[in-house]
Amino acid sequence: MKKEDTVKLISAEGMEFVIDKEAAMVSQTIRNMLTSPGGFAEAEHGEVTFPEISAVILEKICQYFYWSLQYSSYNFVGGKETEFHIEPELTLELMMAANYLHT
Amino acid sequence: MLVEESEDTEKPERSKERVNVKGKRRYSREEKRKGKLLVESALDSKDESLVDGSVSDVELLAQEVNLSDEKPSKKNNRRTSQGRMERFRDTARQNASRFAHFNTQEEDDNILSMEAESEIPSEELEEKGVEDWPGSFSTAMKIIRDRAANLNVRQGSSSSDKVQSLQIKWVPQKCKRKDWSKRLPPSLLDLSLRVLVDNADAIASLAHVPDALRHKLCHMLCDSRRMNSNFFDLLLNGSPTEIRLKDCSWLTEEQFTQCFEKCDTTNLTILQLDFCGHCFADYNLPSTLARSPNSLPALTTLSLTGAYRLSDAGLSALVSSAPALRSVNLSQCSFLTHSAIDILATSLASVLLELFIDDCQSIDAMLVLPSLKKLEHLEVLSVAGLESVTDSFIKEFLIARGDGIKELILMDCWKLTDSSLKIIAETCSNLRALDIGNISKLTDTSFGYLASGCRSLQSLKLCHNAFSDDAIAAFLEMSGEVLKELALNNVGKVGLNTALSLARRSRNLVSLDLSWCRNLTDEAMGLIVDSCLSLRVLKLFGCSQITDVFLYGHSNAKVEIIGLKLSPFLEHIKTPAQGPFQYSSV
């Protein structure tokens, strides 16, 4: 993956997740940070920090991004839809993170 | 809901009579119907331009009745008599709906109209003629009528069926069919909410969960009937700020008392316990909600709908423990009388913003009037379903408080007439939302008043009203730009004129309800949806005339169509996240 196409998401513990920009844009919040013409530091460095989201949750969120892209991709018509499984223990925090990220 | 039941029992009786009887008896009834129709149409609208459909229907019936006189003469061949039978049956079918709705109020109407006339001074009652409508509205009406007339002239003679004099030019787009099957993936928030609702009993704590998400969870749990006292405990844990339960019918008295006794209510700002009659009475108030004066110091919004065991004394205790109340919803609290409103007015006269007393059958509107006039800053008043609401009530109240009123809900107040709308238009200059559903006495004149008077009207709800297509179209031409929410549920005469005006004027329309408007075609719907670019919700219950041509041919990607294909149950009554008040901030 080329550097320009990727974004780094940093969790509360400091763990870094490098994902495609297109995947990250599934989140409205991240999309606004990266594309708005305000000169956000995030946009310049391509890094976004989430001091309130733990690594486990952030990992799940990144999985969701990719699942979401796959779901809406053109090849999907006629294919079997996979379900996005969420472990019940994570769900409460995941819900709050998803709410914050507008995804 | 008693009226509906009598409708249901009347309908099968009448249809039975129609089906069984095929001889002279039917014709004589049709003659009677003919008479009734003419009388109705004369009373209905004083303007001569009846909607095309009803004129042609009356003519058609007239022809048929004349023909029917010949029928008893035996020598007709079976073939022609069969043909006539078919036509009679068709006409009967067409007119069935008009007579199937039995209106208990029609009998009371005659008595009341005489009373009303004696109450209101006669100058106000002189109905202005059609052409006397406030200036620009009559111009708008003329434009609408000319629109139809010009096309009629061009088309020449028309068939005896309903005259579709306007052609709507809308072509569904082709080969976009693929896009619609590419559905959007569900959001992570929705997915997590669903998992949480399924596993609600496993949730250990709701700490740190923001109120908006708590409300969503409660909403979904109540809808799926999975709400229970464990979750209720979680909600009341800590020091909650907002509690919104749209359905407390599962809650027993003991559970309610137990849970609420230990709740710290010092930070509670919003408390909504709808359908709480089962758990809530005067005797468990002192231990739960009305523990002491000022036990609910921060409470600004209170909703206790359906508290049928709450008496005036109970309400008094509540009000003394919540002195900061600004929005009170006491709908369906059938035990409350006008003294309850007196209590509210005495303690909260300078702060109360919103009052809902829908269906409080023991409250007499005229007795409540003095208290209502004391509420200095009232913005929202809902008296839906109160039969005692009359024109004089509206007049007296609005002359005192009309300029502050932003929302008025008068649904089912069937005694109201056009003169009330005239008062509303004259006094409520800041009116943003109006609900006049099921008020059958209103005529097109009301629209004239509304168009000239309430310039900031953003939400208008009609239901089962007898307005004509032209009047609604003319109103939209004048006030359509500001309108965000419009409900034309079961306004049967809505047709192509309204569709054209909607398409031209309603740039800001977000929510539109066209359920049971059966005169609208696929083309009309397509034009509306493609032109109203802000439209997000379109309700089409009962519009079985709409086909896939519209559903897959329209090009508005953001609109959600509810009521046709299978949509998730209760989807159409989703309530958006709400702040404490509708129009003011805290």
Side-chain angles (χ1 to χ4, degrees):
Chain A
M1 301 193 290
K2 283 193 262 185
K3 180 130 200 299
E4 302 82 59
D5 291 339
T6 65
V7 166
K8 196 189 281 188
L9 304 181
I10 308 174
S11 77
E13 299 94 341
M15 194 176 284
E16 299 174 353
F17 296 87
V18 180
I19 57 172
D20 292 306
K21 234 185 209 168
E22 199 192 341
M25 302 282 228
V26 170
S27 153
Q28 271 302 113
T29 315
I30 299 181
R31 180 192 291 252
N32 290 341
M33 280 192 221
L34 295 177
T35 57
S36 74
F40 278 108
E42 290 90 354
E44 287 174 37
H45 302 303
E47 286 180 12
V48 192
T49 324
F50 297 108
E52 289 159 2
I53 305 182
S54 70
V56 183
I57 304 294
L58 198 51
E59 182 181 5
K60 199 73 190 172
I61 291 177
C62 293
Q63 286 175 8
Y64 172 77
F65 288 155
Y66 282 101
W67 176 86
S68 168
L69 286 184
Q70 198 187 25
Y71 192 103
S72 49
S73 79
Y74 230 64
N75 304 330
F76 226 89
V77 176
K80 205 169 159 205
E81 297 152 17
T82 50
E83 204 189 287
F84 184 68
H85 180 69
I86 303 179
E87 288 82 10
E89 312 82 63
L90 301 178
T91 323
L92 205 55
E93 287 181 50
L94 194 61
M95 174 186 75
M96 294 197 273
N99 187 38
Y100 172 70
L101 288 175
H102 249 94
T103 169
Chain B
M1 308 317 121
L2 282 174
V3 180
E4 276 172 33
E5 281 167 41
S6 58
E7 277 177 18
D8 286 339
T9 50
E10 289 285 6
K11 197 169 173 191
E13 283 172 54
R14 287 181 202 237
S15 57
K16 257 189 256 162
E17 288 174 88
R18 227 173 275 121
V19 163
N20 294 341
V21 178
K22 277 183 189 179
K24 268 191 214 170
R25 200 171 143 209
R26 187 204 285 200
Y27 307 137
S28 61
R29 247 194 300 115
E30 289 208 343
E31 281 180 85
K32 275 196 229 151
R33 263 190 229 139
K34 172 194 170 194
K36 207 172 176 186
L37 258 181
L38 287 178
V39 168
E40 255 186 31
S41 51
L43 282 178
D44 241 3
S45 43
K46 306 225 168 138
D47 47 346
E48 280 97 34
S49 68
L50 295 168
V51 179
D52 295 319
S54 52
V55 169
S56 61
D57 276 350
V58 170
E59 287 172 352
L60 191 62
L61 255 186
Q63 292 169 19
E64 314 238 298
V65 171
N66 291 336
L67 284 171
S68 78
D69 292 340
E70 301 166 6
K71 209 264 173 171
S73 71
K74 335 74 199 184
K75 287 165 206 152
N76 301 325
N77 0 348
R78 280 215 103 205
R79 260 184 292 128
T80 51
S81 68
Q82 293 282 41
R84 274 192 215 112
M85 297 304 295
E86 284 303 313
R87 267 183 289 138
F88 291 136
R89 218 176 286 135
D90 285 332
T91 326
R93 232 177 260 134
Q94 278 175 29
N95 293 307
S97 56
R98 232 177 285 195
F99 301 103
H101 288 294
F102 175 69
N103 205 340
T104 47
Q105 298 147 6
E106 272 174 15
E107 291 132 36
D108 297 341
D109 273 359
N110 297 331
I111 311 169
L112 273 167
S113 56
M114 293 194 287
E115 281 177 16
E117 284 178 19
S118 58
E119 278 177 19
I120 302 177
S122 48
E123 321 97 64
E124 287 181 37
L125 251 202
E126 260 165 33
E127 292 289 349
K128 296 183 177 176
V130 153
E131 307 309 323
D132 289 347
W133 280 331
S136 30
F137 188 70
S138 61
T139 325
M141 284 290 284
K142 242 182 240 152
I143 298 176
I144 306 283
R145 271 181 243 145
D146 290 345
R147 208 198 261 166
N150 286 338
L151 284 165
N152 261 336
V153 163
R154 267 185 254 147
Q155 281 187 357
S157 65
S158 42
S159 62
S160 63
D161 291 332
K162 190 174 294 276
V163 175
Q164 298 267 347
S165 52
L166 298 171
Q167 297 287 344
I168 296 218
K169 300 215 172 28
W170 176 77
V171 177
Q173 42 173 322
K174 300 164 196 160
C175 65
K176 287 281 178 121
R177 184 73 175 78
K178 272 194 233 161
D179 277 357
W180 296 117
S181 60
K182 174 179 144 184
R183 283 170 296 135
L184 292 170
S187 72
L188 188 56
L189 184 59
D190 284 338
L191 289 173
S192 348
L193 279 170
R194 271 182 240 168
V195 174
L196 281 173
V197 166
D198 287 337
N199 299 306
D201 289 328
I203 301 179
S205 159
L206 286 174
H208 306 302
V209 178
D211 285 326
L213 291 178
R214 287 188 189 209
H215 299 326
K216 272 207 183 130
L217 268 176
C218 287
H219 189 109
M220 291 172 73
L221 280 172
C222 288
D223 278 350
S224 54
R225 304 294 302 176
R226 289 207 179 106
M227 193 71 196
N228 54 29
S229 55
N230 290 330
F231 197 82
F232 194 46
D233 264 329
L234 289 178
L235 281 175
L236 295 177
N237 230 339
S239 188
T241 44
E242 295 182 10
I243 299 176
R244 281 197 187 271
L245 283 176
K246 60 179 275 209
D247 178 2
C248 295
S249 53
W250 52 272
L251 192 56
T252 67
E253 252 185 61
E254 302 86 56
Q255 285 171 337
F256 176 66
T257 322
Q258 262 176 350
C259 296
F260 239 94
E261 268 173 348
K262 33 188 174 126
C263 175
D264 176 12
T265 53
T266 44
N267 291 322
L268 199 58
T269 55
I270 297 182
L271 180 60
Q272 175 185 350
L273 297 172
D274 287 346
F275 294 113
C276 61
H278 185 50
C279 56
F280 201 79
D282 283 356
Y283 50 80
N284 62 351
L285 264 183
S287 51
T288 53
L289 290 181
R291 278 176 239 168
S292 56
N294 219 14
S295 64
L296 296 162
L299 194 67
T300 56
T301 310
L302 177 65
S303 171
L304 293 171
T305 70
Y308 52 78
R309 295 189 286 166
L310 183 67
S311 72
D312 297 340
L315 186 67
S316 171
L318 259 178
V319 170
S320 60
S321 56
L325 272 180
R326 303 183 78 188
S327 166
V328 178
N329 187 337
L330 297 167
S331 304
Q332 289 99 36
C333 292
S334 38
F335 213 10
L336 297 178
T337 69
H338 66 275
S339 337
I341 312 297
D342 283 341
I343 296 167
L344 281 177
T346 329
S347 334
L348 306 170
S350 49
V351 286
L352 199 63
L353 293 177
E354 306 178 353
L355 180 61
F356 298 81
I357 42 175
D358 305 6
D359 301 315
C360 293
Q361 299 302 342
S362 304
I363 294 186
D364 183 330
M366 295 314 289
L367 293 176
V368 169
L369 200 47
S371 317
L372 287 180
K373 289 202 276 191
K374 281 195 222 163
L375 300 169
E376 295 159 24
H377 300 289
L378 198 66
E379 292 181 353
V380 176
L381 178 66
S382 173
V383 287
L386 288 188
E387 298 208 329
S388 44
V389 168
T390 57
D391 288 336
S392 36
F393 170 84
I394 298 284
K395 181 178 174 198
E396 238 190 280
F397 174 65
L398 288 180
I399 288 180
R401 291 284 158 223
D403 49 348
I405 290 283
K406 297 204 175 124
E407 181 167 341
L408 207 50
I409 301 173
L410 302 169
M411 190 167 120
D412 290 324
C413 295
W414 54 271
K415 292 187 184 172
L416 297 180
T417 67
D418 291 333
S419 37
S420 289
L421 269 287
K422 178 164 183 273
I423 308 283
I424 292 175
E426 284 169 8
T427 55
C428 302
S429 43
N430 287 321
L431 195 67
R432 308 263 185 86
L434 181 64
D435 185 340
I436 42 175
N438 283 322
I439 306 181
S440 44
K441 289 190 190 174
L442 297 181
T443 70
D444 292 344
T445 329
S446 299
F447 267 115
Y449 297 135
L450 276 181
S452 56
C454 304
R455 309 300 313 190
S456 30
L457 198 63
Q458 289 180 349
S459 162
L460 179 62
K461 294 196 183 152
L462 307 176
C463 180
H464 261 118
N465 297 89
F467 299 121
S468 71
D469 192 28
D470 292 346
I472 301 178
F475 172 75
L476 285 168
E477 291 286 335
M478 290 183 62
S479 314
E481 298 280 354
V482 200
L483 217 52
K484 288 204 182 136
E485 187 181 347
L486 180 63
L488 296 172
N489 190 328
N490 228 314
V491 181
K493 297 182 189 166
V494 161
L496 304 180
N497 273 318
T498 310
L500 279 170
S501 298
L502 275 172
R504 285 173 38 161
R505 289 276 176 245
S506 310
R507 298 267 160 263
N508 292 315
L509 197 63
V510 173
S511 162
L512 181 59
D513 184 354
L514 291 172
S515 303
W516 306 99
C517 293
R518 309 203 42 101
N519 294 339
L520 292 174
T521 59
D522 282 325
E523 285 77 30
M525 282 298 179
L527 187 67
I528 295 173
V529 168
D530 286 348
S531 319
C532 297
L533 299 172
S534 311
L535 196 65
R536 296 289 173 267
V537 175
L538 177 62
K539 293 190 192 162
L540 291 178
F541 288 95
C543 288
S544 49
Q545 80 276 11
I546 302 294
T547 68
D548 286 350
V549 170
F550 161 68
L551 284 174
Y552 293 119
H554 73 86
S555 52
N556 189 334
K558 300 198 181 159
V559 76
E560 192 188 342
I561 300 177
I562 300 175
L564 281 179
K565 303 272 171 170
L566 293 172
S567 49
F569 187 56
L570 296 180
E571 191 75 1
H572 62 289
I573 43 177
K574 257 200 284 206
T575 37
Q578 272 177 329
F581 317 119
Q582 315 238 26
Y583 294 102
S584 302
S585 46
V586 185

